[in-house]
Amino acid sequence: MRGRRVLVVWCPDWPLTAVGIEAAVAGAVMERTGGSERVAACSAAARGAGVRRGQRRRDAQRVCPDLLVRDRDEEAEGRGFEAVAAAVAALAPRVEIVRAGVCAVPATGAARFYGGEEALRMLVQDAVVEAGFDCGVGIADGLFAAEVAARNGGGGLIVPEGGSAGFLSEFTLGTLNGAVGDWERIAGILVRLGIKNLGGFAGLAPGDVLGRFGAAGAAAHRLARGEEARDVAPREAVGELAVVKEFDPPAGRSDEVVFAAKALADRLHDGLAAEGLTCVRLGVEVEFADGEVAERLWRHDGLLSSNAVAERVRWQLSGWTPPPPPPGLDDAVWGGVTALILTPDQVVPDTGSQQSLWGPDGRGERGTLPEAVARAADRVQALLGHQAITRPHLTGGRSPGERVLRVPVGDLPLGGRPEGPWPGRLPEVSPSVVPPAPLRAEVTDADGAPVVVSARSVVSAPPAFVERSRSRPQPVTAWTGPWPCVERWWDPDEARRRARFQLVTEQGAYLLTVEGGVWTVEAIYD
C-alpha cells in the first residue's frame, strides 16, 4: 500500500537548541543513563573536538575541557519547538508534532497551492530558518520515509512518489531505531542472519516476518517497504468522542487550563475505551476570548497518559506568542481561555493487554510494567520529572556496568549496544552487585607497595591486600588475572586499555579493574 505524501521538518540536535546552545559553541546536553551522565546531543563544534553522543560526562570533558554542559530539559524542548510548528503552520495547516524536534504536515494539497513539492519544501525550510532554527525538510510517501529524507541530502530531499522502498533500501537497520518497539532485539537477529540493510529486510516475506517477530516486526517491515507502520485507521477523525471544557469566566492563567486538561484527558480515555479504540494522534484546540485559536496535533503510540496530555497543553500555551500581558499578570493567557477541546484525530482498534494467569483482575501488563505500577510511576513522574523513575534494560557490553542501561519508565530502550559478540566480555557467572559508579580501591603487595600491570600484562607482584574506599585493608586469599582489554584502539580520543582481576577476601569476592595505574571495584560477587 502506497503511503500518503508527507512533508517532515527535522531540527538537528534539537535538545541543544532548546537550552540555547548554538552549533558554533562546544556544548552538550546530558541525560542520566545507566547510572551515569552521558551525552544526549552535542554541537558541531563539540563533535569537532572529539565529543560523541553516548560518551560519559567525564570522558567528554576530558577531550573538550571547555565543554559547555546543560542538563536535558524536556519541558523546554516541547515549549521551544512550538515556534517551529508555528512557522510551518503559517504555510500549511494541520501541523502534526511527532516529537520535540520533528513535525509533519500533509504535502499534497499544500504542494498544489505553492506550485509543486520542491517549491513547498523550500518555502517551509526558509520559514523555519528565518524563525531562527536550522532544519532539514523532506517529502516522501509516509511519515517514516519523509523523516529519513529530511535527515539526508544536506538539508533534506524529495523522494519521488512510489519510490520510498527504493530510497530506504540502502540504509542500515539502525535507521529504524526508535521507530518501533523491541527493534534492537529484532535487528540483532537479522544481522546474525546476514541481513544488513532495510532492502534486505524488506525482501523477506511479510508472513514470515510476522510469524517470527510478531506485531513489532511486521510494523518495522511495513516501514522498510515504504509503507505506513499500521493499516489506515478505521476512522480518520472521531468528532463525536471529542471532549470539551468551557471556562466561564475565561481562564486567565495557564495553570488553570493545564489542571483542567488532566480531567479532560481522563474523560477522553474513558470514551475511547468504551468504543474499543485507542488514539494515536491527538488534536488539542485552545480557544481564546478574543477569537484566536491555537490548534496542534500530537502523535504518539499507545496510551498517552492524562499527565502527558496536560504537559502538551502546557507546551502549547507556553509557545503561544500573544501581545504582552497587562502589568502584574506575567502568567496570563492572552484574552483568557474560553474553551479547551481534545479530539482523537486518528484512532486504531485497542488490542488490549494480556492479563496474568494468576492473581486478581487489574494486574495485566501495560508494556512491561503491571498496570498498577505504571499508574503509580505516572504520578511520581508528574511530580519529580520524567527521568525520576527508571528501569534496567540489559544490553551488550564487556563489563557488568556497561550491560545495564537505565531507561525512564514509559520510554523505549533506545541507545543500547547490540548483543555481541563482545571479545573480552566478562564470562559467567555475573557479579550480583554493580555500583552505580566504580569505587576507588588500592591493591598492594606483601611489602605494601602498589601492584602495577605492565604494557605486556605482567603483574609487578602478587596482590596481598585490597583496600576499598573508607574501609580497612583486607588480606587477599585468592586471585586470578590479569585479563587485558583494549577497546577502540582505532580512535585516539576514545581508546581505552585496562586489565581485570578477580580477588577473593574473607569478606567477599570482587571484580577489580586497573586503568592508568588506578584501581577500581567494578562489581562484587555475593
Side-chain angles (χ1 to χ4, degrees):
M1 182 187 68
R2 181 178 297 176
R4 68 193 191 281
R5 300 294 284 174
V6 177
L7 179 146
V8 166
V9 177
W10 167 70
C11 294
D13 300 329
W14 178 255
L16 296 169
T17 307
V19 296
I21 298 178
E22 300 178 355
V25 177
V29 174
M30 299 289 174
E31 63 181 352
R32 184 161 292 278
T33 303
S36 62
E37 283 189 304
R38 295 182 180 269
V39 177
C42 53
S43 65
R47 286 192 290 270
V51 180
R52 295 293 182 268
R53 186 173 182 176
Q55 273 184 330
R56 293 187 178 184
R57 178 169 181 162
R58 64 187 182 194
D59 294 334
Q61 291 178 324
R62 176 175 59 83
V63 299
C64 184
D66 297 328
L67 186 67
L68 178 63
V69 175
R70 294 284 188 270
D71 292 332
R72 190 160 190 179
D73 187 344
E74 294 187 359
E75 182 176 347
E77 292 177 31
R79 182 176 62 248
F81 193 65
E82 178 65 22
V84 177
V88 177
L91 295 172
R94 297 184 64 78
V95 176
E96 174 185 323
I97 299 177
V98 181
R99 61 183 179 275
V102 178
C103 65
V105 294
T108 303
R112 291 198 199 101
F113 182 82
Y114 290 108
E117 291 183 343
E118 180 60 25
L120 172 64
R121 194 189 74 82
M122 295 303 298
L123 280 172
V124 171
Q125 190 168 39
D126 290 344
V128 175
V129 171
E130 288 176 3
F133 304 97
D134 186 21
C135 73
V137 180
I139 300 178
D141 295 336
L143 184 65
F144 174 69
E147 182 175 346
V148 176
R151 291 172 175 265
N152 291 274
L157 47 84
I158 296 176
V159 179
E161 189 172 0
S164 292
F167 166 70
L168 295 170
S169 62
E170 298 301 321
F171 286 91
T172 64
L173 297 176
T175 309
L176 276 169
N177 285 343
V180 294
D182 205 26
W183 173 246
E184 290 182 3
R185 180 187 66 83
I186 298 174
I189 297 174
L190 293 173
V191 170
R192 291 196 289 272
L193 293 175
I195 297 174
K196 302 296 180 64
N197 54 34
L198 295 183
F201 179 47
L204 300 177
D208 294 341
V209 174
L210 178 62
R212 178 62 181 84
F213 300 113
H221 193 241
R222 293 176 66 87
L223 292 178
R225 302 201 312 264
E227 302 174 0
E228 297 288 357
R230 57 169 61 89
D231 291 330
V232 176
R235 282 181 282 183
E236 191 65 25
V238 192
E240 67 271 17
L241 292 178
V243 290
V244 181
K245 170 65 177 178
E246 295 182 348
F247 299 91
D248 188 15
R253 307 186 73 88
S254 61
D255 54 0
E256 299 178 51
V257 184
V258 173
F259 182 79
K262 295 176 64 176
L264 204 59
D266 288 333
R267 286 173 48 194
L268 177 67
H269 291 152
D270 292 342
L272 290 172
E275 295 286 335
L277 301 172
T278 186
C279 176
V280 297
R281 192 168 68 179
L282 176 69
V284 177
E285 185 176 338
V286 182
E287 297 181 356
F288 296 91
D290 57 4
E292 293 290 332
V293 176
E295 183 179 8
R296 289 288 178 268
L297 295 174
W298 300 89
R299 174 171 289 274
H300 61 94
D301 289 317
L303 179 66
L304 191 66
S305 68
S306 300
N307 288 328
V309 172
E311 203 59 26
R312 281 153 178 77
V313 172
R314 184 189 302 277
W315 297 344
Q316 192 163 319
L317 290 173
S318 299
W320 186 249
T321 53
L329 293 177
D330 296 335
D331 194 34
V333 176
W334 181 31
V337 173
T338 58
L340 174 65
I341 305 170
L342 302 182
T343 304
D345 187 75
Q346 192 178 40
V347 295
V348 296
D350 187 358
T351 57
S353 58
Q354 178 64 46
Q355 300 297 311
S356 59
L357 182 61
W358 307 108
D361 292 339
R363 293 177 60 86
E365 294 195 343
R366 188 185 78 187
T368 59
L369 289 175
E371 186 69 25
V373 175
R375 288 196 300 267
D378 285 343
R379 290 194 294 268
V380 175
Q381 284 177 316
L383 295 173
L384 303 181
H386 186 62
Q387 304 284 339
I389 305 180
T390 60
R391 57 186 176 89
H393 171 70
L394 290 179
T395 183
R398 294 185 174 87
S399 63
E402 293 175 345
R403 296 194 60 204
V404 179
L405 185 67
R406 303 200 69 85
V407 181
V409 170
D411 282 6
L412 295 175
L414 304 179
R417 305 177 185 88
E419 186 61 33
W422 288 91
R425 177 176 174 176
L426 186 72
E428 303 291 345
V429 177
S430 298
S432 57
V433 179
V434 180
L439 306 174
R440 288 294 297 270
E442 298 289 341
V443 179
T444 56
D445 59 18
D447 297 329
V451 176
V452 297
V453 180
S454 70
R456 295 182 177 271
S457 298
V458 177
V459 183
S460 61
F465 298 93
V466 58
E467 179 182 354
R468 294 168 52 191
S469 57
R470 299 182 181 179
S471 66
R472 299 179 61 182
Q474 304 174 30
V476 176
T477 59
W479 66 280
T480 182
W483 298 306
C485 183
V486 180
E487 299 177 342
R488 305 188 72 83
W489 50 265
W490 60 88
D491 189 341
D493 294 330
E494 298 188 10
R496 189 176 186 186
R497 184 184 182 92
R498 52 182 170 165
R500 291 195 182 92
F501 288 77
Q502 287 176 329
L503 275 65
V504 180
T505 69
E506 294 181 353
Q507 298 184 14
Y510 306 97
L511 175 68
L512 286 92
T513 298
V514 57
E515 181 178 358
V518 178
W519 288 84
T520 56
V521 177
E522 265 197 279
I524 303 171
Y525 295 89
D526 198 354

